[in-house]
Amino acid sequence: DTGVSQNPRHKITKRGQNVTFRCDPISEHNRLYWYRQTLGQGPEFLTYFQNEAQLEKSRLLSDRFSAERPKGSFSTLEIQRTEQGDSAMYLCASRTDISYNEQFFGPGTRLTVL
Amino acid sequence: GENVEQHPSTLSVQEGDSAVIKCTYSDSASNYFPWYKQELGKRPQLIIDIRSNVGEKKDQRIAVTLNKTAKHFSLHITETQPEDSAVYFCAAIPNSGYSTLTFGKGTMLLVSP
């Protein structure tokens, strides 16, 4: 499968624990996006990378959230001191530099904070 | 920032009927409008998109129209089939920034056989 992959697919954690998710974009895609989707809502933008540079962060991204893309390939999203309100589907998407090019989404990581 | 409103939130049709989903956007600088289909438990997938220099685009049973003056765009599905049942999201990308998508809240389309 040459699409965007995400791991783990599901994560259940207790409030206060730290979690880390991984996204592997399509290999030639240098743009990578993280979104969060809660039940009954559309995906909401969290952060954007162009290669290894994090160029944009949403105000939704509190200081408990951090994202990296150290080598411009895979990316990780870490949530520290998780709260019940962090429960959501975390989606990763990637695309090329070509204008208006489609963003390809991964299957998402569903986080449940107990 | 951009704000995208989507209506209706739920749409039920009989197989063979047409379905129309409407979205409005707030940022007049937005210039790209994709539509994504998300089946239950699956990833969003692009089904059609339109750029701001085009008023209408068709792909088989699916069409999208754009009215830049009114800042609204619509998805039209003709001859609906049960496999069209899914949640559909409209989105907009402003002309500035890094092409981050602003999504509507989604429309759950139910096509009954």
Side-chain angles (χ1 to χ4, degrees), chain A residues 4 26 29-33 35 93-106, chain B residues 32 34-37 43-49 51 57 93 99 101:
Chain A
V4 179
I26 295 171
H29 288 187
N30 62 339
R31 299 191 181 203
L32 186 147
Y33 304 80
Y35 294 86
S94 71
R95 54 163 279 194
T96 67
D97 268 339
I98 299 171
S99 293
Y100 308 115
N101 201 271
E102 175 183 353
Q103 289 189 24
F104 291 84
F105 282 84
Chain B
Y32 176 64
W35 286 88
Y36 282 81
K37 175 183 180 183
R43 70 189 76 191
Q45 292 194 301
L46 181 75
I47 56 171
I48 195 167
D49 55 15
R51 303 182 189 183
K57 183 176 177 181
I93 290 182
S99 301
L101 290 164

Side-chain angles (χ1 to χ4, degrees), chain A residues 1-11 20-26 32-37 43-44 46-47 73-79 88-94 103-111, chain B residues 38 41-44:
Chain A
D1 185 0
T2 57
V4 179
S5 61
Q6 291 186 247
N7 288 289
R9 295 292 307 277
H10 303 273
K11 179 71 177 177
T20 300
F21 311 140
R22 176 176 170 131
C23 170
D24 286 89
I26 295 171
L32 186 147
Y33 304 80
W34 284 97
Y35 294 86
R36 180 171 67 188
Q37 185 177 27
E44 295 176 298
L46 292 178
T47 192
S73 57
F74 72 91
S75 175
T76 58
L77 177 68
E78 181 183 16
I79 309 174
M89 176 74 84
Y90 290 84
L91 292 164
C92 175
S94 71
Q103 289 189 24
F104 291 84
F105 282 84
T109 295
R110 180 165 295 284
L111 173 65
Chain B
Q38 188 174 29
K42 296 192 176 180
R43 70 189 76 191

Side-chain angles (χ1 to χ4, degrees), chain B residues 8-65:
Chain B
S9 56
T10 305
L11 179 59
S12 294
V13 300
Q14 292 291 120
E15 182 176 1
D17 287 350
S18 295
V20 181
I21 302 170
K22 299 182 179 182
C23 290
T24 60
Y25 60 98
S26 60
D27 187 348
S28 57
S30 289
N31 61 0
Y32 176 64
F33 307 92
W35 286 88
Y36 282 81
K37 175 183 180 183
Q38 188 174 29
E39 296 176 10
L40 190 63
K42 296 192 176 180
R43 70 189 76 191
Q45 292 194 301
L46 181 75
I47 56 171
I48 195 167
D49 55 15
I50 191 167
R51 303 182 189 183
S52 59
N53 59 348
V54 175
E56 184 176 1
K57 183 176 177 181
K58 285 185 179 179
D59 183 3
Q60 299 182 339
R61 297 186 297 109
I62 295 173
V64 58
T65 58

